Amino acid sequence: MPPKNIQTPTHQIYPDSCYGLEKLADASVDALITDPPYGIAYQNHEWDKALPQPQIWEDGLRVLKSGAFGLVFSSVRLMHRLMVNLEDSGFLIKDVLFWAYLNGMPKSRAVALGIDKELGIKSEVIGKYNYVQGYQKGGAENYSPQKEKPKYAPSSELAQQYAGAGLGIKPAYEPIILVQKPIEKGLNVAQNIIKYGTGALNLEQTRIPYAKGEGKVGHNPHPEGRVAANILRTEAFEDGYDKFFLIPKVRQHAEDFNHHPTLKPVALMQHLVKLISFENQTVLDPFMGSGSTGVAALALQRSFVGYELDEAYFKIAQKRLDPKREA
Ligand SMILES: C[S@@+](CC[C@H](N)C(=O)[O-])C[C@H]1O[C@@H](n2cnc3c(N)ncnc32)[C@H](O)[C@@H]1O
């Protein structure tokens, strides 16, 4: 059935810092979806060296309508700080979605070889390996070329006891914090929706279809599947247990002109857009990067407002959001 009152979705994007959200009026936005800097210096990028200043969450609260929801991506390491910042700015913390994937790389170090070095004992050379990392200033665009390096095994007795010991486990999920602007005093949810159109999750559009061959579950199974869960994952784990939204991690350079290093899959962003907004509403992403939230929003009949400070990333977003562009 076609949606009622179809309006053409619009997008407004700004090559500016988001702080202040000056172009936006109070209570003018229906949903906030953003993948901000994580504060972990990912691939040594300058823009990822610190978490956003809390001011942006106060700005977000100002421009959102009463009861509107937000989804904010985070690193695992700094999720607690980000959540405190969001809460201190006035948001209610409603949930944390876990986007689980299998292809994360641990950030680690061979501790045993460090012990040999500290003891002044030479580790044993046992072969060669391909060295592929080495991010330099300016980020991963400045890769050191891949080269062969000697492979070592620990020599001292103490180092051998710590053979294989490291400093990090494999990262296999990214948290996405679900927040809500408190509903205006004196209104209940229904009254808030009537007045502002916000205040509820769009569960109907985000149902997870039953797995092939799976019998319907519950006493009153819904024909479209289960209600969306707070786990999203990238791969079927072949456990026959596909209760979660499934979305593969995006390949870097999936579109050849898009070199954004932390590109998010459009299908994932579509799931999130559907979850916290309804057709003909407006979604804001203050840290839009190459514009994945916007691409998802426009495809789903939502309007989009985005900010991006970096000129090169802004141009990529501009190109991806251009309505004249071939899909
Ligand atoms: C994690 S990336 C977003 C990537 C995006 N999800 C995508 O799929 O392309 C965060 C972005 O925030 C931008 N940024 C950092 N500080 C900003 C600011 N004050 N205002 C606007 N953008 C900012 C960075 O340049 C970076 O592109």
Side-chain angles (χ1 to χ4, degrees):
M1 202 170 51
K4 291 174 202 147
N5 304 324
I6 293 191
Q7 296 161 17
T8 308
T10 59
H11 69 280
Q12 199 57 256
I13 56 174
Y14 303 104
D16 279 331
S17 174
C18 55
Y19 290 102
L21 296 174
E22 278 155 19
K23 306 279 194 309
L24 298 179
D26 295 1
S28 59
V29 167
D30 303 281
L32 167 80
I33 300 180
T34 194
D35 172 28
Y38 283 1
I40 58 171
Y42 180 67
Q43 295 181 346
N44 213 11
H45 285 285
E46 278 305 312
W47 55 259
D48 196 46
K49 291 204 166 152
L51 275 179
Q53 294 157 34
Q55 187 208 325
I56 188 58
W57 311 126
E58 290 164 24
D59 300 333
L61 203 76
R62 174 183 71 76
V63 303
L64 283 171
K65 295 177 185 169
S66 163
F69 285 92
L71 284 164
V72 183
F73 283 79
S74 168
S75 70
V76 175
R77 258 195 288 151
L78 289 178
M79 157 165 85
H80 61 297
R81 285 221 172 278
L82 187 53
M83 287 172 83
V84 167
N85 289 348
L86 284 158
E87 195 173 54
D88 286 353
S89 305
F91 279 105
L92 304 170
I93 305 289
K94 301 300 285 187
D95 208 327
V96 179
L97 280 59
F98 277 24
W99 177 32
Y101 47 80
L102 298 178
N103 54 354
M105 292 282 283
K107 213 174 184 183
S108 193
R109 185 179 304 164
V111 169
L113 304 184
I115 296 173
D116 274 349
K117 192 171 171 201
E118 205 56 44
L119 295 175
I121 294 172
K122 276 204 160 120
S123 302
E124 190 190 345
V125 178
I126 54 164
K128 288 188 173 160
Y129 76 104
N130 288 328
Y131 178 76
V132 285
Q133 283 232 323
Y135 301 125
Q136 296 170 357
K137 205 167 181 340
E141 290 78 7
N142 302 325
Y143 266 125
S144 339
Q146 177 174 317
K147 50 186 172 209
E148 274 195 342
K149 285 198 159 194
K151 188 173 180 187
Y152 295 99
S155 292
S156 66
E157 202 183 320
L158 183 63
Q160 281 173 10
Q161 280 175 36
Y162 286 86
L167 298 179
I169 53 177
K170 181 183 172 73
Y173 71 86
E174 267 178 61
I176 308 170
I177 306 158
L178 175 67
V179 292
Q180 186 181 21
K181 177 170 175 167
I183 283 184
E184 190 177 297
K185 272 214 169 73
L187 298 185
N188 63 31
V189 173
Q191 290 166 339
N192 195 81
I193 292 174
I194 292 163
K195 187 165 175 189
Y196 296 104
T198 43
L201 296 172
N202 194 346
L203 301 180
E204 197 64 10
Q205 273 205 352
T206 44
R207 283 191 171 271
I208 312 299
Y210 301 109
K212 256 199 190 136
E214 186 191 17
K216 303 254 184 309
V217 287
H219 297 298
N220 295 295
H222 191 287
E224 300 301 326
R226 291 185 170 81
V227 90
N230 57 5
I231 292 184
L232 320 172
R233 59 190 202 179
T234 55
E235 279 144 87
F237 300 159
E238 294 186 359
D239 52 6
Y241 202 73
D242 288 325
K243 293 186 176 172
F244 309 124
F245 179 72
L246 192 71
I247 165 64
K249 254 200 147 184
V250 74
R251 246 181 336 108
Q252 287 289 305
H253 297 261
E255 291 164 311
D256 55 1
F257 63 89
N258 190 350
H259 58 78
H260 201 293
T262 63
L263 178 64
K264 291 290 183 294
V266 171
L268 170 65
M269 302 318 293
Q270 286 190 342
H271 180 74
L272 302 180
V273 165
K274 279 193 270 183
L275 185 62
I276 65 163
S277 70
F278 293 77
E279 280 161 7
N280 301 330
Q281 292 191 328
T282 298
V283 177
L284 163 69
D285 185 348
F287 300 97
M288 71 171 170
S290 66
S292 307
T293 309
V295 174
L298 296 184
L300 291 165
Q301 191 59 35
R302 276 82 166 161
S303 289
F304 176 68
V305 183
Y307 286 77
E308 172 55 49
L309 193 52
D310 182 287
E311 200 187 328
Y313 298 153
F314 178 83
K315 284 193 172 141
I316 298 170
Q318 213 171 20
K319 184 163 178 177
R320 292 177 83 201
L321 294 168
D322 183 350
K324 292 193 288 292
R325 192 172 159 248
E326 300 271 308

